[in-house]
Amino acid sequence: MVTQYLFGVPVETFAVTAEVPKGTELPYFSQEKGMTFTCALGAEDIVYGLGETMRGINKRGGRYISFNYDDHNHRDDMPSMYGAHNFIVVDGEQTFGAFFDTPAKVVFDVDSDGSGQLSVACESSDLRLYIVEGRGAYDIVRQFLGIIGRSFLPPLWAFGYGQSRWGYKTAREVSRVADKYREAGIPLDYICLDIDYMDRYIDFTVNRRRFPKMAEYTAGMLERGLHLVPIVDAGVKIEPGNAVYEEGVQNGYFCKNRDGRDFQAEVWPGMTHFPDFMQEKARAWFGGHYQFYTGLGLEGFWNDMNEPAIFSTEYRKKDAPPDADRGDPDQPDRHIADFKDFFHRLDDGRHISNYKVHNLYGAMMTRASGEGLSKLLDRRYLLFSRSSYIGAHRYGGIWTGDNASTWKMLRQNVYHMPSLNMCGFLYSGADTGGFGGNASRELLLRWLAVSVFTPLMRNHSAIGTRKQECYRFRNTEDFKTIISLRYRLLPYLYSEYMKAALRQDMLIRPLAFDYPDDKKAREIEDQLMIGESIMIAPILEPGVKGRIVYLPEPMTEVRYNREGFTCMDVGAGERTAMAPLNTVVFYIRQGRLVPVGEPVSNTAEMDLLDVELLGSGTVYEQYVDDGYTKACSLERCVLQRREQAEG
Amino acid sequence: MVTQYLFGVPVETFAVTAEVPKGTELPYFSQEKGMTFTCALGAEDIVYGLGETMRGINKRGGRYISFNYDDHNHRDDMPSMYGAHNFIVVDGEQTFGAFFDTPAKVVFDVDSDGSGQLSVACESSDLRLYIVEGRGAYDIVRQFLGIIGRSFLPPLWAFGYGQSRWGYKTAREVSRVADKYREAGIPLDYICLDIDYMDRYIDFTVNRRRFPKMAEYTAGMLERGLHLVPIVDAGVKIEPGNAVYEEGVQNGYFCKNRDGRDFQAEVWPGMTHFPDFMQEKARAWFGGHYQFYTGLGLEGFWNDMNEPAIFSTEYRKKDAPPDADRGDPDQPDRHIADFKDFFHRLDDGRHISNYKVHNLYGAMMTRASGEGLSKLLDRRYLLFSRSSYIGAHRYGGIWTGDNASTWKMLRQNVYHMPSLNMCGFLYSGADTGGFGGNASRELLLRWLAVSVFTPLMRNHSAIGTRKQECYRFRNTEDFKTIISLRYRLLPYLYSEYMKAALRQDMLIRPLAFDYPDDKKAREIEDQLMIGESIMIAPILEPGVKGRIVYLPEPMTEVRYNREGFTCMDVGAGERTAMAPLNTVVFYIRQGRLVPVGEPVSNTAEMDLLDVELLGSGTVYEQYVDDGYTKACSLERCVLQRREQAEG
């Protein structure tokens, strides 16, 4: 049961799509000092949720600030990342969910001081607070997913493996990446184009010298089964002759500064204006401009710099020291004052500073793009964004931002996935191998073995770091093995994604959600449930060839290496599983099945129905479609039956 | 068996103290491209050693550069830290140890590219290469420890708990720290004084305004059972009237630049000269100046900034971009050119650039201090350094440098300890709670539960970060519990340290060393053996109340909380152990004992012989002395017998 409690006159966030009955007496929380909500936690209570925040799956012990921010240094004590996902679930003496639906800053202190108190301080006194009650944490999350609308449905090719790097400067270089992958026999479905493809980093342009004849180039790649996925940044370059800039100025589609002029901020293209995505008309206008790309045959995009990130403004220089008036020592607020300096026009005519609706900016850009692409394309598009707010999950996925080539970030990827799923973001993944820093061969292989199981599986790295395309490392056969597992599992992974999305359920879950009465399972943070059949227990440390795994029930241990799948039934409890770098070990739940296909070099070659069944179950309900139809429904499921003789 | 292979005319490093026979035909390695030594590794081989480097206990898969460097950003891909510990052990198809005894840069590529090759590239063609052969990795390490001389023996109080922070500006503030600890009932043995105690950061001074009457102050603290431990930096401030500066100039005790003038570098005190610790006379002179401190009653020190760290020089400004000519993309060499710009005078009269003997600088400062203190004091001193080279372990310990308040750094602490032990550095530990960044209560408690078992147990943090003295957090009782465990274990920990040092053995070992035939144990990196009886399996992740542990044999599971010790015999294999934040779980090996004492508030109150015995053994050999005598020997061991009736 979900109930909403209304405070003040909230700005419409579009996060909740269902009608939710209003309550009068807020349960669970005491309201203190204005808009601070507190709740005493039981000693053993676990707190879930909060999507893209640092630390583990159990958020207890930390302090988190919803205030979208671009900072690549993902320290453990970093309170704010790129997204604001204000949904938490307390699981213990009292079990309930709470969604603090406000686009302004919110500070979640989840018993960081050992006082046993959960405290949620909302900066705005205008908010909707949704309380979710149900039969345990998992049921509560499903109810929450039920009110925020169905997750984005990407095309099948978006579940393939993608290669990306900031620094692919020419079409020739991109082609070479494709060639090298083909030579190495490593499957590939798409290559992302970072800001390098643009003409001086201007949105809705292609540099004609470095990427000549883009439409033909895109078509040629598509014939090879490869999609190109360009980046789109939030800021529109201020430059006479730039049609998007001129239209935006003419129509008042840009954010304004205090004296009513269009607000200026320096980002990649130099000085830019920020589209006012809070305006419905501005969204339609910006989203419509994706026609530039779709006209070139492009169907996949990533939206970046939409926290929005700011290098400098008219008022504050690049690398200026943090604002002197920062009230909160934990808040990375170099540009707090900037966000207070520019204004949106809401569709009801009110003007409001970005600071007050800050966390919606990226989400509204995603919505603009998604709505535009829905109109422009007769098939499903790929879209993922850096910044987000709950609600944006209906229009696109997210990646977890500018991480680094560290073992800690690999571990954080594992922690992030279930928390993001709780907040609706099913299509997600990390920059595999790490964005900043230099990836070792070992780290990349172990990371790929995790990304095999995340919907977005993209290898991405920053300019200036060690190049990390798989073919650059020795023994590319090992990389081919791990990535081929992704493709062999796609009949399952695609099916489970679509079923989860269509049922408004989670795809990736903590063990505690499937085994709520197992005290040991409740403490496991480095193993995950992937869909209805699979449990993973990835290796997250350097230099080891195995790890200890906890099995809450007897399972089938599946070992995949270049010889293919080997299955072995193993009992419940703790066990050590060895997995050298070229091997992935995962588990299939008792009585469940996993359909696996043949090796392919990309999704265009796949026959989702030509599967073999692994595991001890008898029937698997497989979602199947052409990979791009918009008419997705659970009616597209077919039953795969294991022959009794085989069993 | 140890054999030395001589190349060229090596600079004396003082690392090896034993006479080692010379060999002629180098085994195991092929010599390629000048001074690059390569060796093919077996698929399952483990490579140990390398002391203070990033990544896990098994160094395979990484690339490491011995070139001492001050960089607080301990990324996974950071090749150089503060120490150069060029000893490795290959354990597998071939099993041997190799010590590359050269103070110049050495690059260890331990199969980072998956080629199966170990490659060691020495920049200097003058080196001694020691090959160690024996019955397995542990035996090889013990043989190596046998030739490098006995580890430093600190006084008993150095095994107590210490509090430190960059930013204790006055004696009053330091006293308040002591008072607050006493009020909270948390044991404490020493407080470290960071650069704040000095007069304008000048070595061998005390700021009289902020620390008036230092001798009386020190004596007063000692009466309370508290030692003060001041920092000493490498650079000597250039300032007429500064006697140390004037003596150094007069006697030629400073490093020179190319044209023979004393080299200048900016560090904390402003422009300084670097003592030329390569000269025996300069060492005696610098070490003798510790009389300034011993005269004030001080007996413990930490040497810092001795890589040497450089902010700027006459030639290169602070924050200058890295040198354009950096040959190696992985090398953090902002000051490479500086190190080439200053010169030492060796005792044989030769002049040599710091670049060529770079890794000895910190070690020779440690030696200078240690030799000085040995002369000045009639009892054992405490000394630990940031920079080091093998050989320095005979004069002092090290801490693992300027880490951060992250879970990754806690894990790194666990990885570092056995690797440092292999290189002779028994007295070591990390900045508990983390130096940079803001520690959460949970992180600090989990970190303390690890530091309980490391010889150096110091809570240290940087100015500007969240204050992390234990009494600042809620429920200080939990901190008291964890730290009191340290004191209750001291009869064991002190005894095991002294026995390991006197026997030239390791104190902290990987499981593989004690269970070499156990394939699972060989892959465990997050559990450690501490002395002869204890195995620890610390919790290294946020938000969890337990973890899975692997027991290579049946053991006694000991649970310590505010109620004291609870023991339970448990079987071999994997098991889940729950440990809330206020509880430490550890294990005692079958047939072994651990003597534990009563709770005390500092080591001065301790009676090492008043112990109770935990575990299933019958006899424990306990090293006991007055805690400060210089006449340490294994003859001071007494046998503690368990009463049969009790068993």
Side-chain angles (χ1 to χ4, degrees), chain B residues 190-325:
Chain B
Y190 59 94
I191 298 177
C192 292
L193 305 178
D194 208 317
I195 52 173
D196 320 277
Y197 82 86
M198 299 183 192
D199 179 18
R200 291 171 298 132
Y201 309 140
I202 302 175
D203 282 345
F204 312 116
T205 68
V206 170
N207 184 303
R208 291 180 185 213
R209 195 169 48 76
R210 289 183 285 106
F211 287 83
K213 298 184 187 165
M214 190 64 178
E216 283 164 50
Y217 184 64
T218 303
M221 292 300 260
L222 265 178
E223 268 171 40
R224 297 171 64 173
L226 286 175
H227 293 257
L228 295 175
V229 179
I231 198 170
V232 180
D233 282 347
V236 171
K237 186 173 175 66
I238 300 174
E239 185 171 83
N242 174 3
V244 183
Y245 155 75
E246 289 177 348
E247 289 166 20
V249 170
Q250 247 159 28
N251 295 291
Y253 289 156
F254 293 126
C255 295
K256 305 282 183 193
N257 64 16
R258 282 184 194 280
D259 48 15
R261 287 180 295 125
D262 290 330
F263 176 75
Q264 300 188 14
E266 186 204 352
V267 214
W268 291 118
M271 285 314 256
T272 66
H273 291 323
F274 287 151
D276 184 1
F277 294 117
M278 297 298 289
Q279 300 176 32
E280 193 177 343
K281 281 187 183 165
R283 286 199 297 273
W285 160 73
F286 192 85
H289 272 292
Y290 280 73
Q291 188 168 17
F292 170 80
Y293 298 116
T294 56
L296 296 170
L298 298 161
E299 299 177 354
F301 306 90
W302 45 312
N303 285 346
D304 198 10
M305 302 293 283
N306 49 359
E307 292 72 25
I310 292 176
F311 295 165
S312 71
T313 65
E314 305 168 74
Y315 317 106
R316 260 160 298 277
K317 293 236 166 76
K318 210 164 177 164
D319 301 323
D323 305 319
D325 68 339

Side-chain angles (χ1 to χ4, degrees), chain B residues 321-333:
Chain B
D323 305 319
D325 68 339
R326 55 199 297 213
D328 182 344
D330 295 337
Q331 175 67 340
D333 54 0

Side-chain angles (χ1 to χ4, degrees), chain A residues 43-46 55-63 73 75-77 112-116 329-330 405-408 411 415 436-443 466 473-475 519-520 523-527 540-550 574-578 580, chain B residues 43-46 55-63 73 75-77 112-116 329-330 405-408 411 415 436-443 466 473-475 519-520 523-527 540-550 574-578 580:
Chain A
E44 300 293 308
D45 291 8
I46 292 177
R55 292 171 49 96
I57 297 172
N58 182 356
K59 293 299 170 190
R60 187 159 184 172
R63 191 159 174 280
N73 188 0
R75 307 179 317 274
D76 283 354
D77 64 346
S112 74
D113 61 355
S115 63
D330 295 337
S405 300
T406 67
W407 293 89
K408 165 70 203 184
R411 188 176 288 271
Y415 294 159
N438 300 315
S440 68
R441 179 178 187 274
E442 183 192 14
L443 177 65
R466 183 180 299 153
F473 295 87
R474 265 183 194 258
N475 297 339
K519 279 198 172 177
K520 292 181 182 177
E523 298 300 325
I524 302 280
E525 300 229 322
D526 57 358
Q527 302 179 198
L540 306 175
E541 285 181 64
V544 295
K545 293 183 284 291
R547 61 160 283 175
I548 314 182
V549 180
Y550 176 68
E574 298 88 352
R575 67 179 264 108
T576 299
M578 295 294 177
Chain B
E44 300 292 309
D45 290 8
I46 293 178
R55 292 174 48 97
I57 297 172
N58 183 355
K59 293 297 170 191
R60 187 162 184 167
R63 193 159 173 279
N73 188 1
R75 308 176 317 274
D76 283 353
D77 64 346
S112 75
D113 61 355
S115 63
D330 295 337
S405 300
T406 68
W407 292 88
K408 164 71 203 182
R411 187 177 290 271
Y415 294 159
N438 300 315
S440 67
R441 179 177 187 276
E442 183 192 14
L443 177 66
R466 183 179 302 151
F473 295 87
R474 264 184 195 258
N475 297 340
K519 279 197 173 178
K520 292 182 182 176
E523 299 300 326
I524 302 280
E525 301 229 323
D526 58 357
Q527 302 178 200
L540 307 175
E541 287 181 62
V544 295
K545 293 183 284 291
R547 62 160 283 175
I548 314 183
V549 181
Y550 175 68
E574 299 88 352
R575 66 179 265 109
T576 298
M578 296 294 179

Side-chain angles (χ1 to χ4, degrees), chain B residues 381-599:
Chain B
Y381 59 84
L382 168 59
L383 176 64
F384 54 99
S385 169
R386 194 169 69 183
S387 186
S388 59
Y389 184 85
I390 290 172
H393 68 286
R394 300 194 299 272
Y395 305 97
I398 56 176
W399 88 101
T400 55
D402 299 344
N403 64 3
S405 300
T406 68
W407 292 88
K408 164 71 203 182
M409 287 292 107
L410 168 56
R411 187 177 290 271
Q412 192 63 51
N413 184 10
V414 171
Y415 294 159
H416 269 149
M417 288 300 114
S419 305
L420 287 171
N421 269 250
M422 291 174 208
C423 297
F425 292 92
L426 302 193
Y427 189 80
S428 187
D431 284 351
T432 302
F435 179 68
N438 300 315
S440 67
R441 179 177 187 276
E442 183 192 14
L443 177 66
L444 181 55
L445 279 167
R446 292 299 192 201
W447 207 321
L448 286 165
V450 168
S451 299
V452 157
F453 299 96
T454 66
L456 170 62
M457 184 189 191
R458 177 176 75 140
N459 178 338
H460 183 48
S461 59
I463 197 166
T465 65
R466 183 179 302 151
K467 292 183 176 174
Q468 74 190 32
E469 295 81 10
C470 295
Y471 54 78
R472 295 188 188 273
F473 295 87
R474 264 184 195 258
N475 297 340
T476 52
E477 185 72 20
D478 292 350
F479 293 85
K480 179 179 172 181
T481 301
I482 309 290
I483 295 169
S484 74
L485 172 61
R486 165 70 163 212
Y487 283 81
R488 299 200 66 181
L489 284 174
L490 267 189
Y492 173 79
L493 294 171
Y494 180 64
S495 165
E496 289 300 309
Y497 182 95
M498 297 299 281
K499 280 155 55 184
L502 293 168
R503 290 180 174 139
Q504 296 185 221
D505 198 345
M506 295 170 70
L507 170 70
I508 303 186
R509 304 175 303 281
L511 268 57
F513 279 29
D514 289 53
Y515 306 96
D517 301 323
D518 182 328
K519 279 197 173 178
K520 292 182 182 176
R522 283 171 69 84
E523 299 300 326
I524 302 280
E525 301 229 323
D526 58 357
Q527 302 178 200
L528 296 172
M529 307 306 298
I530 311 287
E532 64 175 50
S533 306
I534 288 182
M535 181 184 82
I536 62 167
I539 289 178
L540 307 175
E541 287 181 62
V544 295
K545 293 183 284 291
R547 62 160 283 175
I548 314 183
V549 181
Y550 175 68
L551 289 88
E553 61 176 333
M555 294 189 180
T556 303
E557 185 174 88
V558 185
R559 180 171 299 274
Y560 184 78
N561 57 26
R562 74 167 72 176
E563 269 84 50
F565 296 97
T566 320
C567 295
M568 178 171 70
D569 289 339
V570 294
E574 299 88 352
R575 66 179 265 109
T576 298
M578 296 294 179
L581 282 179
N582 56 8
T583 301
V584 180
V585 173
F586 64 94
Y587 297 85
I588 303 178
R589 294 183 65 170
Q590 214 169 15
R592 305 285 171 93
L593 287 173
V594 171
V596 299
E598 288 298 307

Side-chain angles (χ1 to χ4, degrees), chain B residues 29-40:
Chain B
F29 289 103
S30 310
Q31 201 182 338
E32 289 172 10
K33 295 178 243 154
M35 298 306 284
T36 296
F37 300 87
T38 60
C39 164

